[in-house]
Amino acid sequence: VRKRPRRMASAEDELAPGFKKVVFRPEPTESLDDSADLYHPYLPPVPGVKVGDEVARDLWYRSEQNFIRQLAGASNQAEADSIRSDFVKQRDRGVPGYEANVLPPRLDDVARMEGHELVGYMPRRGDFDVEWSNDAEKLISEIEFTSEDTKDEKELKLRVLDIFNRRVDEREKRKRVVIEHGLLNYKENQEKMWLMDPDERHLVQRMRLFARYHSREEHEAFVRKTLEAKRLRKEIAKLETYQRMGIKRLSDCERYELDKSRRVLHKDAWLKKEKERKKGKKSGEGGEDRKAPRPGKRAARPSAEIWRQFAPPPEASGGG
């Protein structure tokens, strides 16, 4: 049992502003009246830690709260950066009250952080609501070391802890990949993806599997070179198609592509018109304003009228 003493640290000690160093005085559990009814857990010995010492988790939490109070008084970004740099310098010197390793940003800076619009991501903490292997903590939720454990039981429990640590390491690794590769900017990435061709967009999405093996610069260069190779293969296949069709000049290639796009445009327009005509005919409105063909003459098919402009010109009759 730990009890707070009546004395605090002396005034000569260098401490963080608003931080009070608390020294605990260990009290034997047997000195309590109902000590016989208390549960005595098994505490393995930790090198360098005595009974009654403050653990690092308590110090980090109090130091982080102290940093948040200091940061709340900053009126602009420059002052906040100055407070943060001073805190880091004092932490490197080992001054009590500056033990926090995670320094959260201001609330005003959250709007400029990556992933602040992404649902399920907390930018100030750098965590997701649902992490990778989110149920990993269930492995150790009921593990308890007691003095009655046999050697095999302790080895089994330590092996379970090792499995849990590996899962947590893999979770942090995947989270670091997501943050370093800029995948938190979901809207910006989606806008860039929709500017690509469908086949290129599909290729980029499939190549994200290799992002965790590269740095951001290496992966971007790898994707860029792969897309360049794909575009070259597409251009080579197009030129081979022109060659099989008998087209040998680039000007003829451009004319062919122009005529092809024009044919596709006219075909789409005709299909849309035919669809509207059939829809109007079913409702009793279509076909009334159309000019009836003359008796004895077959009505021209709409498709024939569309494709007539692409028919080859008639051969000029030779003079006798």
Side-chain angles (χ1 to χ4, degrees):
V1 179
R2 298 187 302 179
K3 292 186 177 181
R4 290 180 178 271
R6 294 183 179 180
R7 68 176 186 87
M8 296 296 179
S10 61
E12 292 80 10
D13 297 339
E14 185 179 5
L15 299 174
F19 186 85
K20 296 181 179 180
K21 184 176 181 181
V22 180
V23 181
F24 290 96
R25 175 168 52 87
E27 187 73 15
T29 307
E30 292 78 8
S31 63
L32 302 177
D33 297 336
D34 52 351
S35 61
D37 300 332
L38 296 178
Y39 173 72
H40 297 272
Y42 170 71
L43 298 177
V46 180
V49 178
K50 300 179 181 179
V51 178
D53 293 347
E54 285 188 293
V55 295
R57 181 178 57 187
D58 299 335
L59 295 174
W60 291 344
Y61 174 75
R62 293 173 55 199
S63 177
E64 183 178 339
Q65 295 300 317
N66 178 44
F67 173 76
I68 293 175
R69 288 193 296 268
Q70 295 183 33
L71 202 63
S75 58
N76 50 45
Q77 183 65 30
E79 187 176 353
D81 295 339
S82 177
I83 294 175
R84 186 181 299 273
S85 61
D86 293 342
F87 193 96
V88 173
K89 291 178 181 179
Q90 297 293 341
R91 183 183 61 189
D92 296 339
R93 292 175 52 194
V95 179
Y98 294 92
E99 293 87 356
N101 293 326
V102 180
L103 304 180
R106 298 187 305 162
L107 290 175
D108 301 338
D109 301 334
V110 176
R112 296 189 295 269
M113 299 180 64
E114 293 185 355
H116 69 279
E117 297 180 351
L118 188 62
V119 179
Y121 178 72
M122 296 168 284
R124 297 186 69 206
R125 295 182 56 182
D127 293 334
F128 294 89
D129 287 342
V130 181
E131 299 280 359
W132 182 84
S133 188
N134 200 49
D135 298 333
E137 286 74 12
K138 292 183 179 180
L139 290 172
I140 60 173
S141 60
E142 298 181 358
I143 290 182
E144 183 179 358
F145 288 88
T146 63
S147 58
E148 299 177 356
D149 291 343
T150 61
K151 182 178 180 180
D152 295 338
E153 291 176 347
K154 290 182 180 179
E155 291 181 357
L156 179 61
K157 292 178 180 180
L158 291 176
R159 187 170 300 179
V160 173
L161 289 176
D162 183 60
I163 295 174
F164 168 74
N165 291 332
R166 291 182 181 180
R167 290 193 178 183
V168 173
D169 293 341
E170 183 66 21
R171 177 191 299 173
E172 293 298 324
K173 181 180 178 181
R174 290 172 180 263
K175 187 192 304 183
R176 186 170 61 252
V177 169
V178 171
I179 296 175
E180 291 179 354
H181 286 259
L183 300 180
L184 294 175
N185 298 328
Y186 183 75
K187 291 186 177 180
E188 182 180 349
N189 293 332
Q190 285 295 105
E191 292 176 358
K192 292 181 180 179
M193 294 290 287
W194 284 110
L195 294 177
M196 301 180 181
D197 295 336
D199 54 344
E200 295 182 0
R201 182 167 61 247
H202 181 65
L203 178 61
V204 172
Q205 291 176 349
R206 292 182 59 188
M207 293 179 67
R208 283 182 179 173
L209 297 173
F210 306 99
R212 55 180 176 171
Y213 303 109
H214 306 146
S215 64
R216 183 171 183 174
E217 294 76 13
E218 293 174 350
H219 185 70
E220 290 178 354
F222 175 60
V223 172
R224 183 172 61 254
K225 295 297 183 181
T226 305
L227 291 178
E228 290 178 0
K230 182 178 181 61
R231 291 164 186 164
L232 287 175
R233 287 195 299 269
K234 290 173 62 177
E235 190 67 22
I236 292 173
K238 185 186 294 185
L239 294 176
E240 290 177 349
T241 303
Y242 293 154
Q243 186 179 12
R244 289 194 297 268
M245 297 175 62
I247 302 176
K248 299 181 179 180
R249 294 183 298 180
L250 292 178
S251 58
D252 296 338
C253 296
E254 295 178 358
R255 187 180 304 173
Y256 168 77
E257 292 294 336
L258 181 61
D259 293 342
K260 181 180 178 180
S261 61
R262 189 180 303 170
R263 289 193 299 269
V264 172
L265 179 63
H266 283 286
K267 183 178 180 181
D268 294 340
W270 174 78
L271 291 175
K272 182 178 180 181
K273 187 174 181 181
E274 283 290 306
K275 185 177 180 180
E276 293 177 354
R277 185 182 66 82
K278 292 180 180 179
K279 185 177 179 181
K281 187 176 182 180
K282 290 181 180 180
S283 60
E285 300 176 358
E288 296 181 358
D289 55 344
R290 295 179 60 85
K291 185 176 180 181
R294 290 182 296 176
K297 184 177 180 180
R298 185 177 179 182
R301 296 174 58 187
S303 59
E305 297 292 337
I306 293 294
W307 305 117
R308 183 175 299 172
Q309 56 180 325
F310 301 107
E315 298 180 0
S317 58

